[in-house]
Amino acid sequence: MSFIKSRKHAAMPTSFTSSASSHSVASAALLALTLPLGAWAQTQTADSAETALPVVRAKAKAVVENEFKAEAASSPKFVKPLLDTPQTVTVINRELIQQQGTASLSEALRNTPGITFTLGENGNTNTGDTVFMRGFDASANIFVDGVRDLGGITRDTFNVESVEVVKGPSGADNGRGSPNGFINMVSKKPQLRDFAEGSAQVSSGSRVRVSADLNKKLDLGLPGAALRLNVFSDRGNVQGRDVLERNRWGVAPSLTLGLGTATRATLSYLHVDQDAIPDGGIPGVGLMGWTNQLIFKDLAGANAKPPVGGVLATSIKAVERSNFYGSKDDFDNTQADMLTLLLEHDFAPGTSLRNISRFGRTQQDLNLTNTIISSTPGNWSIIGDAAKPAAWTVGRGRLGRDQRNQILANQTSLNSAFTIAGFKNNISTGVELTHEKQNTAGFAYVNTAGDRANLYAPSVNDKFAPLTRNGASTAGETTTAAAFLFDTLDITERWQLSAGLRAERFRSEYTSIPATSTPAVAASALVNSDTLLSGKLGLLFKPSENGSVYLSYATSQKPPGSDNFALSSATPSSDTGAVSINAPNLKPQQANNLELGTKWDLLDRQLLLTAALFRSQNENELARAGSATGEVTQYGKKTVKGLELGAAGAVSSNLQLQAGLVWMDSKVNEAVTVVPGAVDVQTGAQLVYTPKLSFTSWVNYRVAEGLMQGLSLGGGARYTASQTTQVNNGAAPVVGIDGIPSYWVFDAMAAYEINKNLALQFNVANLADKFYLASVNSGRNRFTLGAPRSMSLALNVKY
């Protein structure tokens, strides 16, 4: 039987001997998505190490390349192929990114289920990749080649080989973090062959994107020298939105010496520059699920709360989705720089040493105007006569941000495979040193009546007073030293035991200087240091060579101030006694994940099917001080449990597939302290931005022969169930947008290879032009839209 060649992540060698059995595709798929009882029934008994494991197979025709299936993760800490890794891992390869016309990390993440996005806290607006995953914020858990990436930036995919999404606590892998996992972007690296690839794309919204990927073998008198250069420019408007612009460009050269030898060195640099008019969102007035408690009349020039002003009983029209409520003078200027040195040496087959050093820096200068709606009458309220909605006005606020992030990191790891007392070990051990810091400057702005905008017809030419620095600033930094050890022990041909342990010592320092207008407030300097211990444990059983069943448990910890380098005093609230969870004297939040899963390589090992039941829990999220003693008690617990299914690879010689589905049941087990006598409105509630069901898929069919040879057709469907935007168990009234409605989105692609060097590619995103909300702020009064129907045409060149 002929085999499909997979060019992504070469398969790791095994000692198994294959044996064939014949099954239909349908029965094989069913086998993979349930516990493999059928496979076990056909399995030979392994009484000795010489007994071969069977292979569960369904026949498939040969193709040249498997574009969607990855065999292994890029991190040296993952010592086994994905098939034998006791954890849910999704790999989004470069080919899939290209077929979808994807330009950013946020767009690429649409290919894994359970990912949502947030807009910001109340009047603030987030920028960059603000990711929620499995019920918790993952924005601080984004990595590039295994090193944490900092800053509120929009990450482009022009220099990305693949995106790896690892689910579950990652304390043993990366140190501090949330219970949901992490995202790792794998960079392109030089190769020992000459090639040149480029793309010129025009899209809706007058967007033009040009990119190039050039690789050249070099004759420097040194073996294995190669240079690779990736560049891009992406300029244009935002489809369906007035005024908004997003302009980015970047360059990423890399040089490798020693390719094909035992010792290799790669020096790489990345620079990305963004100049955009940012989006502060759209008022949620009139949306389905909107409650109008925040609408006020103007009574003889004075604002009044209901019932004096009265709540509007009639339906309220939604605003146009193209409306822009900011200023044409708003800007988001961001620069990101990253310098990396990677050194690798192979001592012997199966034993290698790896060291990566990274200096990274991002800086963001932001001026942003957005609407703010509040239950307090004043500039923030919607004001107008109930009978004249065309004259209603909405208040606007202005946000300034001057933020600088920097990281200096060094990681050393030793990987080795050896046998002791008849047991094969695959270990990865090493040390990590990092220093991260963030500096921000404060801004002041005084609102006036002239800042208000007509709710339904805002002017794009409104002028605002400039934002001014108010003397306030914050500086936070964290220094970490860590050691880790991972080992996978092959107990028998069928059983594997995996364990990982990480110990790290950190010290965080935070300084806050108040605005010059508040001299009575003293500057504060806070310090937090601790030793964290995180681990993972997995037991894996192989019913056959191409299948596995596993049970795993993993932990992680998140100390105070981890997400934004900000520590706060432990002064309790006067009414509830609540203490900020970022107080330095508090214990870290504790997370754990229990997962039962199975993975199957089918169709001549070209299609990977996965299924996993999981239960994630996070504790110590809240703290309060006793009214009598002042003693601080930590509590608070959230749980997410669910089922995740996945498929990636070749279904036939012409058909490629990537798909995923996740069902999640989230719950607040212990909620925030309430005022004595008040009703607890949070315990038992669903977590925000956590849909119960989400699904994503993409298929690509390539015509291999006949008149239409060279034609590729692709398409995808995405579904996200409704999401709550307020932690509310039903005991409290809902204010604002009570949730994000469910939605389906369909995309399509057609590509035609004119010859071996040229191809045309046509993409349509959101075929049905579905109106849906992409994100909502925590105040539930503003939202950003999912992209409307858009089209793009690209000319792709390769030599």
Side-chain angles (χ1 to χ4, degrees):
M1 180 176 291
S2 53
F3 281 71
I4 299 174
K5 177 182 176 184
S6 175
R7 80 176 181 184
K8 300 304 298 177
H9 304 294
M12 302 179 71
T14 69
S15 59
F16 292 127
T17 302
S18 299
S19 63
S21 59
S22 178
H23 297 269
S24 69
V25 175
S27 62
L30 178 62
L31 183 68
L33 295 179
T34 61
L35 289 180
L37 300 178
W40 175 240
Q42 300 179 48
T43 303
Q44 302 173 12
T45 304
D47 295 325
S48 66
E50 287 75 24
T51 302
L53 294 179
V55 180
V56 179
R57 277 209 186 112
K59 295 182 179 181
K61 296 180 181 180
V63 298
V64 177
E65 293 174 348
N66 191 339
E67 297 177 334
F68 294 170
K69 182 174 181 285
E71 300 296 338
S74 63
S75 171
K77 299 170 186 174
F78 288 82
V79 297
K80 287 285 188 176
L82 293 179
L83 176 67
D84 299 331
T85 298
Q87 193 168 2
T88 300
V89 180
T90 300
V91 179
I92 305 163
N93 281 332
R94 179 166 61 99
E95 288 81 3
L96 178 57
I97 292 173
Q98 180 177 340
Q99 286 184 23
Q100 296 177 339
T102 296
S104 68
L105 173 63
S106 295
E107 293 174 345
L109 290 175
R110 295 184 305 204
N111 292 290
T112 184
I115 297 284
T116 56
F117 303 92
T118 63
L119 179 57
E121 295 286 338
N122 297 317
N124 291 324
T125 298
N126 291 331
T127 57
D129 302 313
T130 54
V131 182
F132 251 65
M133 182 166 67
R134 280 194 179 179
F136 299 91
D137 191 349
S139 302
N141 299 335
I142 298 175
F143 295 75
V144 176
D145 299 322
V147 180
R148 196 180 300 271
D149 195 36
L150 304 176
I153 60 176
T154 299
R155 295 165 177 86
D156 200 278
T157 58
F158 82 104
N159 192 44
V160 171
E161 192 68 41
S162 64
V163 176
E164 300 169 337
V165 184
V166 182
K167 305 289 181 68
S170 57
D173 301 288
N174 305 311
R176 70 181 192 269
S178 302
N180 46 10
F182 67 95
I183 299 159
N184 183 49
M185 302 174 69
V186 182
S187 302
K188 297 177 181 177
K189 294 180 176 60
Q191 302 177 20
L192 268 183
R193 62 187 182 95
D194 293 344
F195 65 83
E197 299 179 358
S199 178
Q201 179 189 70
V202 292
S203 307
S204 304
S206 303
R207 176 184 164 198
V208 177
R209 181 180 175 91
V210 180
S211 62
D213 183 359
L214 312 174
N215 193 93
K216 177 68 177 176
K217 293 190 298 183
L218 301 177
D219 185 9
L220 302 177
L222 298 171
L227 176 68
R228 190 167 185 174
L229 176 66
N230 278 271
V231 296
F232 88 101
S233 173
D234 192 333
R235 304 183 62 84
N237 302 323
V238 177
Q239 171 71 357
R241 299 284 283 118
D242 294 342
V243 181
L244 293 178
E245 292 182 7
R246 292 176 185 168
N247 304 314
R248 300 197 302 269
W249 67 272
V251 57
S254 54
L255 172 67
T256 297
L257 303 177
L259 282 170
T261 71
T263 302
R264 302 168 297 282
T266 301
L267 180 65
S268 58
Y269 172 70
L270 179 141
H271 174 81
V272 175
D273 192 292
Q274 173 179 285
D275 179 12
I277 296 179
D279 188 1
I282 304 170
V285 174
L287 286 181
M288 181 177 64
W290 168 267
T291 53
N292 57 8
Q293 288 93 336
L294 305 184
I295 304 296
F296 299 91
K297 288 183 182 179
D298 186 346
L299 303 177
N303 300 326
K305 270 190 173 184
V308 177
V311 178
L312 297 179
T314 58
S315 60
I316 305 170
K317 185 180 72 172
V319 303
E320 292 292 333
R321 67 182 184 179
S322 62
N323 283 0
F324 177 65
Y325 293 85
S327 166
K328 289 195 298 185
D329 296 325
D330 287 350
F331 59 84
D332 182 5
N333 297 331
T334 305
Q335 295 83 38
D337 295 275
M338 189 182 300
L339 181 65
T340 306
L341 176 63
L342 173 63
L343 303 174
E344 300 170 287
H345 179 71
D346 300 329
F347 293 102
T351 301
S352 61
L353 182 68
R354 181 179 185 267
N355 178 271
I356 184 170
S357 299
R358 164 81 50 81
F359 173 76
R361 179 182 62 189
T362 62
Q363 51 188 14
Q364 181 184 35
D365 295 310
L366 173 73
N367 273 199
L368 182 146
T369 306
N370 54 235
T371 61
I372 301 181
I373 305 171
S374 169
S375 57
T376 303
N379 280 335
W380 309 134
S381 306
I382 295 176
I383 302 174
D385 190 319
K388 300 177 180 179
W392 290 352
T393 63
V394 61
R396 290 184 288 189
R398 306 207 71 205
L399 168 68
R401 183 180 300 150
D402 179 358
Q403 181 172 300
R404 305 290 186 264
N405 288 85
Q406 183 175 299
I407 184 170
L408 183 62
N410 182 271
Q411 301 178 359
T412 301
S413 61
L414 174 67
N415 282 55
S416 184
F418 54 88
T419 301
I420 297 179
F423 296 105
K424 183 178 179 181
N425 293 262
N426 289 272
I427 70 163
S428 177
T429 184
V431 295
E432 298 181 10
L433 302 171
T434 60
H435 179 72
E436 307 159 78
K437 65 180 183 180
Q438 175 176 290
N439 297 322
T440 60
F443 289 82
Y445 185 78
V446 178
N447 285 92
T448 67
D451 293 342
R452 302 186 64 80
N454 184 285
L455 178 63
Y456 292 107
S459 171
V460 299
N461 297 310
D462 289 344
K463 297 295 183 181
F464 298 85
L467 284 156
T468 57
R469 294 181 184 269
N470 60 4
S473 65
T474 63
E477 59 182 69
T478 298
T479 302
T480 305
F484 61 86
L485 173 63
F486 297 86
D487 187 14
T488 296
L489 181 67
D490 292 344
I491 303 172
T492 69
E493 287 281 323
R494 294 190 183 279
W495 292 95
Q496 297 175 8
L497 180 64
S498 300
L501 187 66
R502 178 188 176 100
E504 65 177 80
R505 180 69 181 177
F506 75 91
R507 177 182 172 87
S508 296
E509 300 179 11
Y510 177 73
T511 302
S512 176
I513 299 176
T516 54
S517 59
T518 56
V521 180
S524 62
L526 301 172
V527 176
N528 183 34
S529 62
D530 201 354
T531 299
L532 306 179
L533 193 64
S534 301
K536 58 168 50 174
L537 185 66
L539 181 64
L540 183 140
F541 172 69
K542 294 187 69 62
S544 69
E545 175 189 351
N546 58 319
S548 66
V549 182
Y550 65 87
L551 178 67
S552 66
Y553 180 79
T555 67
S556 67
Q557 301 187 67
K558 187 166 76 170
S562 291
D563 288 342
N564 55 9
F565 300 93
L567 297 170
S568 61
S569 68
T571 303
S573 168
S574 59
D575 53 357
T576 66
V579 174
S580 169
I581 198 61
N582 288 322
N585 60 328
L586 297 183
K587 298 177 183 178
Q589 297 180 45
Q590 306 278 350
N592 63 76
N593 181 73
L594 183 65
E595 185 168 313
L596 173 65
T598 182
K599 300 182 182 183
W600 288 87
D601 265 342
L602 300 179
L603 305 179
D604 283 332
R605 309 195 71 161
Q606 301 311 308
L607 179 67
L608 176 64
L609 299 184
T610 64
L613 292 165
F614 63 90
R615 183 182 185 273
S616 299
Q617 184 171 278
N618 199 53
E619 299 178 320
N620 290 346
E621 290 198 326
L622 303 166
R624 64 170 175 258
S627 57
T629 64
E631 181 180 355
V632 175
T633 302
Q634 282 187 251
Y635 66 108
K637 182 189 300 182
K638 295 177 182 176
T639 302
V640 180
K641 57 185 179 182
L643 168 68
E644 182 158 347
L645 308 177
V651 179
S652 71
S653 59
N654 307 95
L655 186 64
Q656 304 276 337
L657 164 70
Q658 179 128 345
L661 179 147
V662 64
W663 169 83
M664 293 184 291
D665 180 19
S666 64
K667 186 177 181 180
V668 178
N669 303 96
E670 293 177 358
V672 66
T673 304
V674 296
V675 179
V679 177
D680 180 357
V681 300
Q682 295 189 350
T683 298
Q686 181 181 340
L687 302 188
V688 296
Y689 313 120
T690 307
K692 282 188 175 292
L693 184 67
S694 60
F695 168 77
T696 180
S697 66
W698 182 266
V699 295
N700 181 66
Y701 180 80
R702 179 174 292 125
V703 180
E705 56 188 6
L707 294 176
M708 302 305 293
Q709 182 177 356
L711 175 67
S712 294
L713 299 175
R718 291 178 282 123
Y719 172 76
T720 301
S722 60
Q723 307 165 51
T724 182
T725 55
Q726 182 179 7
V727 181
N728 187 346
N729 58 15
V734 176
V735 176
I737 304 170
D738 67 353
I740 300 177
S742 62
Y743 59 87
W744 279 96
V745 175
F746 301 94
D747 306 313
M749 181 275 296
Y752 182 72
E753 294 181 359
I754 301 172
N755 54 45
K756 66 178 182 178
N757 302 121
L758 297 176
L760 287 174
Q761 180 175 322
F762 179 65
N763 286 75
V764 181
N766 195 355
L767 270 169
D769 199 23
K770 175 67 175 178
F771 177 93
Y772 67 99
L773 309 189
S775 63
V776 174
N777 73 323
S778 65
R780 302 172 300 282
N781 49 51
R782 288 184 293 122
F783 67 94
T784 57
L785 279 172
R789 182 192 297 121
S790 62
M791 292 172 280
S792 66
L793 179 64
L795 175 65
N796 300 322
V797 182
K798 62 180 180 180
Y799 290 94

